[in-house]
Amino acid sequence: MLMFTEKDFDVFTIAGLDPRMAGIRSTIQPKFQELDDYFAEKLGEKLETEFFVHIAQHRRRTVYPPENTWSALSQKKRGYKMEAHFQLGIWPDYLFMWLSLIDNPKNEKAIAQAFLDNQRLFKQLGDDFYLSIDHTQPQIERLNEADLEKHLTRFRDVKKGEFQIGRIIRKTDDLLNDPEKARAYMLQTYEALLPLYELASKQQ
């Protein structure tokens, strides 16, 4: 069973676009593929649907190497950013498992309003859940300390507004020393987010 290790995070210390991408392809992307195939199967069974795996290729980059990388699970075979989707990704300091709404997904205002109207669903999530309101930056905020209504209102009203919610695993976390336990933690994260995912999907 493949799982990320503390050493994998060193890929972001590799200088240069091509060398870093080579490192990402050889060390990170095979783990994305194996883990996402597993999550796609499990989540697909729960929702009685099919999920497709998308792995970021960073093809638009010509000079600067990526500061993070990710993969996505979507019910769309061609692309994922047009709808609510699940992401598994890695920054230099942590892994993330998000329910992700970025880059102006279809009916984002309706999704944001549905989230605002159903904030009880967020209260059911644990104290170890985080928010990200900019997928290009590593800064995150604990859900239980965040102004949820403010972030959701911004997501609804600001054209470039984004909203991501989920959990992280820091690179120094002992959880990564137990691949089976780490994979279960990741799957539990996505399963806990399914009510929000289904609510978002109903608006699309």
Side-chain angles (χ1 to χ4, degrees):
M1 181 193 306
L2 291 180
M3 181 46 65
F4 295 95
T5 67
E6 190 172 346
K7 189 178 179 184
D8 291 331
F9 296 84
D10 293 342
V11 73
F12 296 106
T13 66
I14 300 172
L17 174 61
D18 290 341
R20 189 176 300 180
M21 280 307 306
I24 287 172
R25 290 191 191 100
S26 63
T27 62
I28 305 297
Q29 291 186 352
K31 296 182 178 184
F32 281 161
Q33 189 70 56
E34 181 171 312
L35 288 164
D36 282 330
D37 284 344
Y38 174 76
F39 299 142
E41 179 184 352
K42 295 297 182 184
L43 296 175
E45 287 172 0
K46 277 196 170 287
L47 296 186
E48 297 182 344
T49 188
E50 185 175 8
F51 282 95
F52 298 94
V53 177
H54 305 269
I55 296 177
Q57 301 299 320
H58 306 285
R59 289 196 182 97
R60 292 181 183 175
R61 289 182 175 269
T62 56
V63 179
Y64 299 108
E67 297 172 332
N68 72 333
T69 191
W70 65 91
S71 57
L73 291 177
S74 166
Q75 291 186 52
K76 293 277 194 297
K77 196 170 186 177
R78 298 170 68 86
Y80 57 91
K81 291 183 181 180
M82 69 287 292
E83 65 174 17
H85 59 276
F86 295 108
Q87 282 194 11
L88 172 63
I90 179 170
W91 281 100
D93 295 320
Y94 63 84
L95 296 169
F96 58 83
M97 297 80 69
W98 297 137
L99 169 61
S100 184
L101 292 138
I102 59 174
D103 292 348
N104 303 117
K106 184 181 174 187
N107 295 336
E108 64 180 323
K109 288 184 182 295
I111 294 169
Q113 191 60 53
F115 283 0
L116 280 163
D117 294 341
N118 291 273
Q119 291 183 49
R120 59 182 175 76
L121 295 176
F122 294 91
K123 291 182 171 67
Q124 296 169 6
L125 299 173
D127 291 343
D128 56 348
F129 276 74
Y130 287 82
L131 295 180
S132 163
I133 59 168
D134 184 346
H135 78 280
T136 68
Q137 300 297 322
Q139 288 77 23
I140 54 177
E141 197 174 354
R142 277 192 178 273
L143 173 61
N144 61 2
E145 297 173 357
D147 188 335
L148 178 63
E149 189 152 347
K150 181 184 82 172
H151 291 321
L152 287 173
T153 301
R154 182 182 186 279
F155 173 49
R156 183 190 66 191
D157 296 343
V158 176
K159 188 175 182 182
K160 290 189 176 181
E162 299 182 350
F163 189 79
Q164 297 186 116
I165 183 167
R167 293 199 291 197
I168 68 168
I169 303 175
R170 298 194 186 278
K171 72 175 182 179
T172 54
D173 196 318
D174 288 340
L175 186 60
L176 295 179
N177 297 324
D178 188 335
E180 195 167 332
K181 195 173 178 182
R183 189 175 73 169
Y185 183 80
M186 291 174 171
L187 179 59
Q188 288 162 7
T189 302
Y190 296 131
E191 289 175 341
L193 293 166
L194 284 177
L196 286 168
Y197 174 77
E198 290 186 285
L199 180 61
S201 298
K202 285 177 185 174
Q203 316 307 316
Q204 297 183 313

